[in-house]
């Protein structure tokens, strides 16, 4: 692809000479072997918005309706498993003055009274427009659910979820301190709200995971309602943090059949190796799914005034995958007090994670961490993979190799939804100025 290609205005066409990460292709053609970098060269046939054929690339095929990508990469639509839409883009109004976790908590607390339905809708929809332009097809957001905030934010989310159906599949998770579930009435109320919204029950655990009776209550509420669980855990450099272990033990004790996602898990990297190994073995036995937030954790963790950080804030990703623990990567906070940057671009998340956590040599299956793996956790069978019969929700890049893909932002990508290109220009930040006056 020597320049921007033109997608024909036709019901059917072929994307010829596409390089696709082999880990993202279901049932690849038997004569299409991945190269040394794990990439397949394919011709992708599209008809009526779906993928109807995958074939090994043929240089001599001159059939009509072929779009020559010149070896450019093609990925399925991206999946963002952990975000905070209700906080997004608030940093111009409530900056974190020192960049610390404590500074972020204080800034958000001061800004929260401004989260009216109009303010939430404007920022959340802006975030979704960014994600859509960058190629995201599914997104899970944590929603601040402390009373009475849950009565304001969840209705806005439900409206946006319905309005965005067919563009981005949305899920929401309750975000409250674990201790809030000690109030039995509130615990029942929020669990019922989550169930009625088709959401996921979630909580933020402290360093010691709080009262284990309360953690048991969360598992019980989810089990009774058929809900999945999603926790913030051990977002600290304290090697004494044990929420990760306690969540795994609770999942085993309850024989919990739903999905359990645990986010951050930063302090695992600070624990003695033998302790970390035992915790990871426990997590594998419990069937936990881990989502790492490398950009936000790089920003917050080990930040001390006048001192260079000594570690990167990420959890033990390589050790997890070696045990078969599913791992996803996600945006987390975007332009808010917890992370001042980002744009809901999952390619940026992937590219930064490769460098932060050494997810190369080889890249291997790591592209699945921003596509098919989180899609599976969200229960989305068609998202995050290329397969015959699946939707032609694709992202086309000029980059042909990992060195090209990870060296430039790929702002000229082409985003296809059901086989048609969309406007891939993110919205102008100036649209939000009225919220900050």
């Amino acid at each position: 692809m020597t320049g921007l290609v033109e997608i024909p205005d036709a019901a059917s066409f072929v994307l010829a000479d596409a390089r696709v990460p082999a880990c993202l292709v279901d049932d690849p053609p038997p004569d299409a072997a991945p190269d040394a970098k794990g990439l397949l060269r394919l011709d992708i046939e599209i008809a009526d918005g779906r993928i109807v054929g995958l074939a090994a690339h043929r240089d001599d095929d001159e059939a009509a309706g072929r779009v020559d990508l010149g070896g450019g990469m093609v990925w399925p639509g991206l999946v963002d498993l952990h975000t905070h839409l209700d906080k997004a883009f608030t940093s111009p109004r409530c900056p974190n003055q020192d960049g610390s976790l404590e500074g972020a908590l204080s800034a958000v607390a001061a800004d929260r009274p401004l989260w009216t339905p109009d303010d939430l809708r404007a920022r959340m929809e802006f975030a979704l427009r960014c994600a859509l332009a960058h190629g995201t097809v599914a997104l899970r957001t944590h929603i601040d659910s402390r009373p009475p905030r849950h009565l304001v934010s969840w209705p806005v989310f439900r409206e946006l979820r319905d309005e965005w159906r067919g563009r981005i599949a949305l899920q929401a998770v309750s975000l409250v301190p674990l201790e809030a579930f000690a109030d039995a009435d509130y615990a029942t109320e929020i669990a019922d709200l989550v169930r009625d919204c088709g959401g996921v029950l979630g909580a933020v655990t402290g360093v010691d995971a709080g009262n284990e009776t309360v953690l048991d209550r969360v598992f019980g509420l989810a089990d009774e309602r058929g809900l999945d669980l999603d926790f913030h855990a051990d977002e600290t450099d304290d090697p004494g943090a044990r929420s990760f272990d306690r969540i795994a033990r609770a999942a085993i004790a309850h024989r919990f059949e739903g999905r359990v996602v645990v986010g951050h898990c930063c302090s695992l990297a600070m624990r003695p190796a033998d302790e970390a190994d035992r915790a990871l073995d426990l997590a594998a036995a419990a069937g936990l799914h881990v989502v790492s937030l490398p950009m936000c954790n790089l920003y917050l963790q080990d930040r001390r005034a006048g001192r260079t950080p000594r570690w990167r804030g990420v959890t033990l990703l390589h050790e997890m995958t070696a045990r078969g623990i599913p791992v996803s990567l996600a945006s987390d906070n975007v332009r808010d007090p917890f992370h001042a940057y980002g744009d809901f671009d999952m390619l940026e998340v992937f590219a930064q994670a490769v460098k932060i956590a050494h997810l190369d040599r080889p890249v291997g299956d790591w592209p699945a961490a921003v596509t098919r793996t989180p899609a599976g956790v969200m229960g989305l069978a068609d998202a995050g993979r290329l397969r015959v019969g699946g939707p032609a929700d694709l992202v086309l890049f000029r980059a042909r190799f990992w060195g090209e893909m990870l060296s430039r932002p790929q702002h000229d990508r082409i985003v296809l939804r059901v086989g048609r290109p969309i406007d891939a220009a993110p919205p102008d930040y100036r649209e939000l100025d009225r919220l900050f006056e």
Side-chain angles (χ1 to χ4, degrees), residues 39-56:
L39 300 172
L40 296 166
R41 284 185 79 180
L42 299 178
D43 292 342
I44 305 168
E45 184 179 358
I46 295 171
D48 299 320
R50 305 195 77 81
I51 298 171
V52 297
L54 294 171

Side-chain angles (χ1 to χ4, degrees), residues 1 3-5 17-19 21 69-76 78 134-135 345-348 394-402 404-405 408-415:
M1 189 162 61
L4 291 178
V5 299
D17 195 11
R19 281 188 172 90
L69 301 185
M73 282 201 202
V74 173
W75 285 33
L78 304 164
H134 294 310
D345 181 356
M346 287 302 294
L347 179 64
E348 180 191 17
L394 307 172
V395 189
L396 282 52
F397 301 102
R398 295 187 67 186
R400 300 164 298 169
F401 311 107
W402 294 120
E404 296 176 358
M405 176 72 96
R408 290 181 178 174
Q410 306 299 319
H411 287 158
D412 57 355
R413 72 193 73 173
I414 297 172
V415 178

Side-chain angles (χ1 to χ4, degrees), residues 22 24-30 32 40 42 53-55 372 386-388:
L24 305 184
V25 181
D26 287 358
D27 300 318
L40 296 166
L42 299 178
L54 294 171
R372 69 183 305 150
L386 272 70
R387 68 175 184 85
V388 174

Side-chain angles (χ1 to χ4, degrees), residues 55-136:
H57 172 61
R58 292 175 52 193
D59 287 320
D60 60 349
D61 195 331
E62 300 294 338
R66 288 171 63 84
V67 179
D68 184 4
L69 301 185
M73 282 201 202
V74 173
W75 285 33
L78 304 164
V79 180
D80 203 345
L81 186 61
H82 183 125
T83 70
H84 292 266
L85 294 184
D86 57 352
K87 295 181 177 71
F89 301 106
T90 54
S91 57
R93 188 169 66 196
C94 59
N96 183 340
Q97 297 296 343
D98 63 6
S100 69
L101 181 59
E102 294 75 17
L105 292 168
S106 297
V108 168
D111 192 65
R112 197 175 285 118
L114 301 178
W115 296 5
T116 63
D118 177 69
D119 177 78
L120 285 165
R121 169 176 274 276
R123 292 186 292 100
M124 292 169 75
E125 188 158 40
F126 188 93
L128 293 173
R129 290 165 60 198
C130 293
L132 180 69
H134 294 310
T136 291

